[in-house]
Amino acid sequence: ELIDGAVDNSHIAAMAASKLTGALPAISGASLTGLIAGSGAFSARGTSSWVNMSADAICQFGNDSTGYSFDTDNNYNASTYKYTAPAAGVYFFFVNIYTAQNDASSDFNILRNSSELDLTGDATNLFIFNSSGVEDRIVSGSITLLLDENDTIAIKASSASDMYPLGSSFGGCRLK
């Protein structure tokens, strides 16, 4: 039998978590390693009316802080319109682009760093596409990607396209 205080930290090499019972004191997470705070999420929208975008131009989603727009971890740059992954992991992204105006077709893709994602395995290589005439419409897409730390994600016009940024949005979050 042991007397109170006979077992201290110097006598304990390791202890299974299952041995901890009863009311436990509050534990600080300051010493935990390998964790990423929060999952991080953003939702940005445009700030201007119609924009005539040239081929390869990055879509302008410049508002990430008013209305329903937000950036919980400050990983979206509202000036470059790019999201930067804070850590390696699985990410989900969505985009809604109000398009057409005077275009018979509009097409968009995702840039990972400076390269288009090869989503179709053929020459079109498009993420979202509209070819339904000149009536205004919203084209939408979503994707789950495995990213490395500091990878950037942006949406770009694959050909000359009209975009109404005030009716468009781009966002995402870290899943794992």
Side-chain angles (χ1 to χ4, degrees), residues 17 43 70 81 87 153 175:
S43 181
F70 59 89
Y81 319 116
I153 297 293
L175 299 175

Side-chain angles (χ1 to χ4, degrees), residues 62-81:
N63 180 352
D64 67 351
S65 61
T66 64
Y68 294 108
S69 299
F70 59 89
D71 183 6
T72 62
D73 292 349
N74 296 314
N75 292 313
Y76 180 75
N77 187 319
S79 298
T80 64
Y81 319 116

Side-chain angles (χ1 to χ4, degrees), residues 51-64:
V51 174
N52 298 325
M53 298 177 56
S54 60
D56 299 322
I58 293 178
C59 295
Q60 301 173 7
F61 303 98
N63 180 352
D64 67 351

Side-chain angles (χ1 to χ4, degrees), residues 14-26:
M15 179 186 294
S18 62
K19 302 286 186 204
L20 300 173
T21 61
L24 299 174

